[in-house]
């Protein structure tokens, strides 16, 4: 986490930028994951429409934060970038040594990030990768130039998250709007038949990027998970929630103006997440961006 004034906490605990990065096989490209601020002062965000997957999670104070995963396209700029959380490490384990771009973390968490099977990148590691923009105040004005971390997009082969794409499953129920609420945040998805996409709203306002374009995923997954207190807290002393993404449970998949009640399963952190019907058949997502919103299981 940062210290609330835009300065990373405990930065020296991470490996030096001169530390060699373990080599990955050419057949296993690595995606870029970026922690993105999602409070009102951080909006509109930049580069969010280019993400292949956007994860929405609850953080301290019942607020929300996003993690955007890029594989098929790298925008010129992404942000605002914010701090990492413990559960991010479990979530990202399903990808093969992804690059995680973040603004800092709680100092006791930094050693765990350094030991995780990913490439951590925060300000100071790569010259010119991160910069501050004057359009917002700190800590909501840190941005990333992805090209400074990787020369080209790694391709869809980097999306080793278990997601399947194709024809819609049988059944489903018509649904044109869905809202997921956290204690101090909310996401609403409205189906646009004209666009063939879901229109995202955050905390009651349309979610647009800094170029004025609406964020419009093709598929939305409301994944019901266990949430518990982690070992860490923010600089104000608020306990950080831990979102458990390994295990099994239920989910609602929204695509094509319909909702499908499905089951999800991820036996190990290294596994992708399988979404299946009650009969055990794989559930396909629609082609395009996927939003996964983690909601507390009842």
């Amino acid at each position: 986490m940062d210290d609330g004034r835009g300065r990373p906490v405990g930065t020296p605990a991470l490996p030096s930028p001169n530390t060699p990065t373990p080599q990955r096989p050419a057949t296993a490209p690595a995606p870029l994951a970026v922690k993105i601020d999602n409070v009102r002062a951080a909006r509109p965000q930049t580069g969010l429409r280019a993400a292949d997957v956007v994860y929405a999670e609850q953080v301290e104070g019942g607020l929300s934060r996003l993690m955007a995963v890029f594989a098929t396209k790298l925008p010129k700029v992404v942000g605002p970038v914010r701090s990492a959380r413990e559960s991010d490490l479990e979530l990202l384990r399903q990808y093969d040594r992804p690059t995680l771009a973040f603004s800092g973390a709680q100092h006791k968490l930094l050693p765990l990030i350094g030991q995780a099977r990913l490439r951590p990148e925060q300000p100071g590691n790569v010259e010119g990768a991160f910069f501050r923009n004057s359009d917002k105040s700190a800590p909501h004005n840190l941005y990333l130039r992805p090209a400074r971390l990787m020369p080209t997009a790694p391709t869809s082969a980097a999306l080793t998250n278990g997601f399947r794409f194709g024809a819609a499953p049988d059944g489903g129920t018509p649904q044109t709007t869905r809202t997921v609420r956290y204690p101090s945040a909310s996401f609403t998805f409205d189906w646009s038949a004209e666009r063939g996409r879901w229109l995202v709203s955050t905390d009651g306002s349309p979610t647009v990027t800094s170029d004025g374009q609406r964020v419009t995923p093709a598929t939305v997954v409301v994944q019901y998970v266990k949430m518990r207190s982690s070992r860490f807290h923010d600089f104000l002393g608020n306990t950080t929630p831990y979102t458990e993404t390994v295990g099994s449970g239920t989910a609602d998949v929204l695509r094509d103006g319909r909702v499908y009640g499905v089951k999800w399963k991820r036996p190990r952190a290294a596994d992708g997440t399988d979404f299946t019907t009650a009969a055990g058949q794989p559930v396909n997502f629609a082609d395009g961006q996927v939003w996964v919103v983690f909601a507390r299981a009842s």
Side-chain angles (χ1 to χ4, degrees):
M1 302 174 193
D2 57 47
D3 64 0
R5 296 181 295 276
R7 298 194 299 264
V9 175
T11 300
L14 277 182
S16 162
N18 296 321
T19 301
T21 300
Q23 295 299 309
R24 295 182 296 272
T27 56
L32 170 66
V34 184
K35 289 306 299 285
I36 297 181
D37 202 349
N38 198 43
V39 297
R40 292 187 186 276
R43 303 176 208 144
Q45 293 105 336
T46 299
L48 196 58
R49 284 171 51 87
D52 294 278
V53 184
V54 177
Y55 296 99
E57 62 180 349
Q58 181 180 321
V59 292
E60 300 84 7
L63 296 169
S64 65
R65 189 157 293 180
L66 306 177
M67 179 187 290
V69 178
F70 302 88
T72 60
K73 182 188 300 182
L74 294 179
K76 291 183 178 180
V77 175
V78 179
V81 181
R82 286 303 297 269
S83 54
R85 298 293 186 274
E86 182 185 11
S87 52
D88 296 337
L89 307 183
E90 178 179 286
L91 176 62
L92 288 176
R93 184 66 182 86
Q94 61 196 303
Y95 298 96
D96 184 41
R97 296 189 182 277
T99 295
L100 172 61
F102 61 108
S103 66
Q106 207 269 356
H107 71 280
K108 292 182 179 179
L109 176 58
L110 285 168
L112 298 182
I113 297 175
Q115 297 163 14
R117 290 176 60 86
L118 51 77
R119 171 190 167 192
E121 294 290 356
Q122 60 177 333
N125 282 15
V126 177
E127 184 177 359
F130 293 87
F131 67 96
R132 295 273 176 192
N133 196 325
S134 61
D135 65 341
K136 297 181 176 72
S137 60
H140 313 292
N141 63 348
L142 181 68
Y143 291 83
L144 170 71
R145 299 181 181 96
R148 300 295 178 96
L149 300 184
M150 52 182 61
T152 59
T155 78
S156 60
L159 298 173
T160 54
N161 48 26
F163 296 176
R164 296 168 178 263
F165 297 85
D170 294 332
T173 302
Q175 186 165 90
T176 57
T177 186
R178 180 64 175 273
T179 297
V180 179
R181 300 186 188 281
Y182 295 157
S184 302
S186 68
F187 296 95
T188 297
F189 303 93
D190 292 306
W191 174 249
S192 169
E194 180 182 0
R195 299 193 189 190
R197 293 289 187 269
W198 297 90
L199 308 181
V200 183
S201 295
T202 306
D203 300 339
S205 299
T207 302
V208 297
T209 48
S210 54
D211 58 3
Q213 296 191 66
R214 194 78 181 263
V215 177
T216 57
T219 304
V220 176
V221 180
V222 181
Q223 185 174 342
Y224 297 99
V225 298
K226 295 179 181 178
M227 294 184 188
R228 56 176 172 81
S229 296
S230 76
R231 296 170 287 171
F232 305 100
H233 53 78
D234 66 10
F235 74 102
L236 293 175
N238 297 312
T239 300
T240 301
Y242 189 102
T243 300
E244 297 186 11
T245 56
V246 171
S248 61
T250 62
D252 291 329
V253 173
L254 284 70
R255 61 164 295 177
D256 306 326
R258 302 181 74 84
V259 60
Y260 300 85
V262 305
K263 296 180 178 180
W264 69 268
K265 184 176 181 180
R266 186 180 170 207
R268 304 174 305 153
D271 297 329
T273 307
D274 293 327
F275 294 92
T276 59
T277 64
Q281 297 300 312
V283 172
N284 293 329
F285 297 166
D287 290 335
Q289 187 180 83
V290 177
W291 273 59
V292 180
V293 182
F294 296 118
R296 186 183 297 273
S298 57

